[in-house]
Amino acid sequence: MIWIDGPAELGGEISVQGAKNSTLPLLAAAVLCKGQSVLHNCPDLTDVETAVRILEHLGCRCTREGSDLIVDNAMVCCEVPQGLMQEMRSSIVFLGAIVSRCGEARMCFPGGCELGPRPIDLHISALQKLGVEIRESGGCLSCQAPHGIQGAYVSLAFPSVGATENLMLAAVCAKGTTIIANAAREPEISDLAAYLNRCGGRIYGAGESCVIIDGVKELFGAEHRVMPDRIVSATYMAAAAVTGGSITLRDVDNAHILPMLAPFEESGCEVRQMGGSLNIMAPRRLMPVKHIRTMPYPGFPTDAQPVVMSMAAVGRGTSIFVENIFENRYRHAEGLQRLGANIKVEGKVAIVEGVESLTGAPVQAADLRGGAALVVAGLAAHGRTQVGGVEYIRRGYEDLAGNLASLGARIIETKDDP
Ligand code: UD1
């Protein structure tokens, strides 16, 4: 449970953790590399723990030293147990890496349903194009590449982040060249390519719509620093915005923040970007964030939509959201309404009429970023807000409550939800 006594006014400086959405594919990539890989700036999160348990099950030794995660590759197994697949949907990104390394892979469909349907059809058809034979029975996938993985031209129907990563992992040691058309352009894709290239891969164009991969024979572990988490940065920016605060974030990549700047500027915040840090100064009362349409990068990210909705909830006027990536991504709206927000959701559109102030109440996180949005709103609310479902938040935020407390919020996190 997270307990917040609001309203807060945030001030001070914190550093931003490494990116969860980069760390998970990087750990899957370690499957491909002989010897030792060292990931610096690796966040301490439950999703990262799950990825480590998958690696250990496959036969790798993982050691954490502060924010370094060291992976010694000694693969003995090509199967991910069902329990681990069900804990984290993104474990599907291990598929391409394992089948490339072992010539076969077995895993069940990732379980649960948090943001609406999250199919893996694009992952499967893309791997099939590279010559991977995939059989499906009883909710499990059995993959084989008896003749090795073959480079191919693959055009994705949608620039899926996970499918692009899976393809890169499968193709980096394939025979011949792979071309991914309509690839996802998210910065996490570039981070994965940078690591794979450091390990001996030959990937060109990552971060563009067309990625070219010349297959290499083998990869050797290397050191890599995980990129800063752009969604965590947006979360702290939103926290400063709703509290009329002024904070400085260290260890950010300012280029990655650009697609998210518009709502902060629209709402009257002053954002100053300097080298690897960012300062945000919020007005006493926010203006509306106006119009947010989530899109693949470099559009506005779906993962930042919930925390910006918390800003809209207290902005002076009307804001409109259109969620184009996931079907069920307004579950935080109910919690925000409990705090007094005026939000109407109709399919993929949400209309937010900003209110003068929110009032603390017990609320329940239903997913990771939605949970963070409730914490952000709780900082602005008068009185006590209790946020349950903190296990979702721990999947992606390293000590969210502790960091906000160090910025002056009255917030504590208790270990177990009663
Ligand atoms: C990744 C991120 C997630 C982020 C999302 C969009 C990780 C671990 N997760 O998720 O935080 O919200 O990108 O930026 O990096 N789709 C299909 N078929 C597929 C795959 C995807 O139809 O085979 C659809 C999905 O249903 C969804 C859209 O494509 O509507 C986006 O999915 P995708 O980009 O693949 O997101 P993830 O990789 O799951």
Side-chain angles (χ1 to χ4, degrees):
M1 187 81 77
I2 289 182
W3 309 76
I4 308 159
D5 283 315
E9 187 184 323
L10 299 190
E13 194 172 317
I14 50 169
S15 108
V16 171
Q17 69 185 62
K20 167 182 90 80
N21 288 352
S22 197
T23 304
L24 301 177
L26 288 169
L27 289 174
V31 162
L32 290 165
C33 302
K34 297 199 168 128
Q36 189 176 79
S37 294
V38 182
L39 290 187
H40 302 292
N41 199 32
C42 189
D44 189 5
L45 307 168
T46 49
D47 271 9
V48 172
E49 275 168 33
T50 304
V52 162
R53 281 182 14 240
I54 292 175
L55 282 172
E56 286 173 344
H57 180 87
L58 297 174
C60 300
R61 220 185 49 216
C62 302
T63 325
R64 189 177 262 284
E65 286 176 9
S67 66
D68 292 350
L69 192 61
I70 302 151
V71 182
D72 285 294
N73 192 323
M75 294 275 294
V76 289
C77 167
C78 61
E79 182 169 353
V80 180
Q82 185 170 7
L84 292 174
M85 284 305 289
Q86 238 129 43
E87 247 168 68
M88 183 174 74
R89 256 163 304 279
S90 43
S91 42
I92 191 68
V93 82
F94 277 87
L95 185 64
I98 298 175
V99 75
S100 165
R101 182 71 200 263
C102 306
E104 56 179 330
R106 282 184 301 280
M107 58 179 62
C108 291
F109 278 99
C113 173
E114 190 178 292
L115 309 175
R118 288 179 91 169
I120 53 167
D121 55 314
L122 297 173
H123 300 240
I124 291 177
S125 61
L127 291 176
Q128 283 170 331
K129 286 237 165 76
L130 301 191
V132 179
E133 293 168 9
I134 303 182
R135 277 186 303 122
E136 201 190 308
S137 79
C140 290
L141 295 168
S142 175
C143 306
Q144 290 203 304
H147 311 297
I149 294 186
Q150 308 284 340
Y153 174 85
V154 185
S155 175
L156 293 173
F158 179 87
S160 153
V161 177
T164 303
E165 290 165 346
N166 239 333
L167 256 173
M168 283 166 57
L169 292 166
V172 64
C173 292
K175 289 184 200 127
T177 299
T178 298
I179 297 176
I180 312 176
N182 199 24
R185 297 163 65 189
E186 270 69 0
E188 292 77 11
I189 302 283
S190 309
D191 207 29
L192 176 61
Y195 166 70
L196 287 170
N197 285 348
R198 205 162 277 163
C199 296
R202 291 167 64 190
I203 301 177
Y204 311 97
E208 310 283 331
S209 298
C210 182
V211 178
I212 299 169
I213 304 162
D214 283 332
V216 296
K217 241 190 148 119
E218 51 191 357
L219 297 176
F220 295 93
E223 292 194 30
H224 182 78
R225 186 175 172 81
V226 179
M227 61 173 256
D229 197 311
R230 59 200 170 99
I231 307 302
V232 169
S233 303
T235 303
Y236 290 122
M237 288 168 73
V242 298
T243 57
S246 169
I247 65 167
T248 298
L249 300 178
R250 287 191 310 269
D251 302 321
V252 297
D253 188 322
N254 272 309
H256 301 165
I257 305 293
L258 295 177
M260 303 187 287
L261 272 186
F264 293 95
E265 289 175 342
E266 287 288 354
S267 63
C269 297
E270 200 179 303
V271 180
R272 278 183 299 157
Q273 299 183 283
M274 309 148 281
S277 64
L278 175 156
N279 173 264
I280 176 166
M281 212 161 38
R284 286 193 76 79
R285 173 99 198 263
L286 290 176
M287 301 299 286
V289 300
K290 292 241 171 95
H291 200 164
I292 300 286
R293 296 162 69 234
T294 65
M295 301 287 275
Y297 195 86
F300 187 86
T302 174
D303 283 1
Q305 174 261 106
V307 294
V308 169
M309 188 175 284
S310 297
M311 289 165 58
V314 292
R316 192 196 297 269
T318 309
S319 300
I320 297 171
F321 290 74
V322 182
E323 172 55 59
N324 292 307
I325 308 293
F326 292 113
E327 274 178 31
N328 192 10
R329 203 159 199 179
Y330 286 134
R331 293 170 76 188
H332 45 284
E334 192 188 320
L336 294 177
Q337 282 159 346
R338 273 181 180 239
L339 300 177
N342 182 353
I343 302 173
K344 286 191 185 62
V345 175
E346 184 71 50
K348 61 184 200 168
V349 177
I351 298 172
V352 185
E353 298 287 351
V355 296
E356 179 95 32
S357 67
L358 299 173
T359 308
V363 289
Q364 188 67 23
D367 59 60
L368 162 60
R369 306 299 172 188
L374 296 177
V375 171
V376 167
L379 295 170
H382 291 257
R384 175 163 290 186
T385 299
Q386 291 157 248
V387 183
V390 169
E391 65 278 8
Y392 288 112
I393 298 174
R394 290 194 198 117
R395 295 177 66 159
Y397 291 87
E398 216 176 45
D399 199 14
L400 180 62
N403 280 319
L404 291 168
S406 78
L407 294 173
R410 282 182 296 158
I411 178 170
I412 54 161
E413 179 175 342
T414 49
K415 265 269 168 265
D416 298 302
D417 286 359

